[in-house]
Amino acid sequence: MSSSLDPGRLAGRGLIVASLVSSGIGYAFTTSYHALEVAAPMQTVGALALCVLMLLTGRSPFRQYERPMWWLIGRLAVGNAAVAVLYPYAVSRLNLGTVAAVVVLGYLSVGSKRIWHLRATAWGFKHLCGRSLVLGGILMLNWPLQGEIVGLLCAFGSAWCVWNTVTVLGKMKDHGLADQGATLANLLAAPALFVPVFLLRGGDWVSPDLFFVAGLAGLLTLMLPVVLTNAALRRISELDVGVMQSLSTPVHAMVALAGAAMGRLPSDQRLTFFPEWVAILLIAGAAFGVSSLKEPSGGAVRVRAQPSGK
């Protein structure tokens, strides 16, 4: 199965890498704050900024939607609100490496039903092998894994949420309303976050300084990634977007390394040649390789699926 090197697909993968860099920098701003405390203001500012951008560009999210779109909007809103609480809670009970490794399962599961259905084709086999290499690199980068049952459940919940995000955005794209639907879903998720944060943390955390930092992080972790991801989905499939999103762990690790070198993050951020850099090269090579595969046409699938002798 030949690889596709057309400029559109290359641009799509570049947009995903740009979104991961943006979110990595945004999360770096919040490292000195409690993760649950910044979740609600990050979501709020990011969602409002995204809404303003959509209004200015003539893509208003406040429009009449059909029932299938409302289902997707609600599903995305619930998933986005849930991951904003589950992910930091999982990190607090486990460690960042363990949670990152589990969450990548969500990205790698995007389109898994179709890949498994076409496992007998060269395309399906290469996808399965490439995604296994990505997962192996993630485990190498984050070993040893540590955990307990509640933290692991939250991590697996986060994995479902990221799978849900990419999958739903792909379905919204089919309706031609990915930008509008994602904007409205994030707006709906914002107020829902304040309730669990106030229940778990009380009200003493509220401060202008926190809202300023969280607001800046919201622009980088929500507004820009949504715009870039939707732009990527117009060029590549959600399967390719999912596997490219698995680069989040190495990209965030390199952002942390750069931040440490500039004195902006704790100075213990280090990457050794083995296993860290080897793992990063493995993840990047496998992700770019898998996302370059050209999906077989319907006719080619039927031919390859025929058992021998028929």
Side-chain angles (χ1 to χ4, degrees):
M1 190 67 59
S2 61
S3 297
S4 174
L5 296 175
D6 67 272
R9 295 190 71 183
L10 289 172
R13 284 175 284 173
L15 288 167
I16 292 298
V17 173
S19 75
L20 295 176
V21 173
S22 175
S23 63
I25 295 173
Y27 283 119
F29 283 120
T30 66
T31 53
S32 60
Y33 296 90
H34 193 282
L36 283 176
E37 295 175 359
V38 300
M42 277 175 60
Q43 180 75 25
T44 300
V45 174
L48 289 175
L50 183 62
C51 181
V52 171
L53 178 63
M54 293 300 106
L55 291 172
L56 291 176
T57 54
R59 291 170 288 173
S60 173
F62 308 111
R63 49 171 295 151
Q64 190 171 24
Y65 296 101
E66 296 181 355
R67 183 176 297 179
M69 269 298 297
W70 276 116
W71 160 247
L72 294 173
I73 289 169
R75 179 175 157 184
L76 184 59
V78 170
N80 288 354
V83 74
V85 176
L86 290 175
Y87 190 89
Y89 188 76
V91 172
S92 70
R93 300 297 293 265
L94 309 174
N95 60 57
L96 183 58
T98 300
V99 178
V102 173
V103 169
V104 165
L105 292 175
Y107 290 127
L108 295 178
S109 296
V110 174
S112 57
K113 183 178 180 179
R114 175 161 178 77
I115 295 168
W116 184 251
H117 177 68
L118 299 179
R119 64 189 182 279
T121 68
W123 178 85
F125 179 73
K126 289 178 180 179
H127 256 279
L128 291 173
C129 292
R131 288 166 187 258
S132 297
L133 289 175
V134 171
L135 181 58
I138 294 292
L139 293 174
M140 185 188 302
L141 188 61
N142 295 299
W143 196 264
L145 300 180
Q146 303 173 15
E148 45 84 33
I149 186 63
V150 176
L152 284 174
L153 288 175
C154 290
F156 279 108
S158 299
W160 177 87
C161 290
V162 300
W163 168 85
N164 178 69
T165 296
V166 179
T167 302
V168 170
L169 287 177
K171 293 181 182 297
M172 287 181 171
K173 177 197 67 174
D174 295 337
H175 290 272
L177 295 169
D179 291 325
Q180 297 91 329
T183 301
L184 185 56
N186 280 294
L187 284 171
L188 294 174
L193 280 174
F194 280 95
V195 175
V197 175
F198 273 111
L199 289 175
L200 293 170
R201 301 294 296 174
D204 295 337
W205 56 273
V206 179
S207 70
D209 179 63
L210 171 65
F211 271 75
F212 174 78
V213 173
L216 179 60
L219 298 178
L220 295 171
T221 62
L222 193 152
M223 187 196 77
L224 277 177
V226 167
V227 172
L228 293 171
T229 300
N230 282 342
L233 280 166
R234 290 190 283 269
R235 294 164 174 83
I236 56 179
S237 70
E238 56 263 34
L239 280 76
D240 297 334
V241 169
V243 76
M244 287 299 297
Q245 291 276 18
S246 65
L247 287 168
S248 59
T249 299
V251 167
H252 290 184
M254 286 187 281
V255 168
L257 183 66
M262 293 186 294
R264 300 291 184 180
L265 292 174
S267 59
D268 60 351
Q269 300 286 342
R270 295 289 185 270
L271 293 177
T272 60
F273 176 75
F274 186 85
E276 284 89 358
W277 280 112
V278 171
I280 288 172
L281 291 174
L282 175 62
I283 296 166
F288 275 95
V290 169
S291 64
S292 299
L293 295 175
K294 186 177 180 180
E295 188 169 353
S297 63
V301 170
R302 286 193 292 272
V303 170
R304 287 173 173 78
Q306 288 291 334
S308 60
K310 292 189 179 182

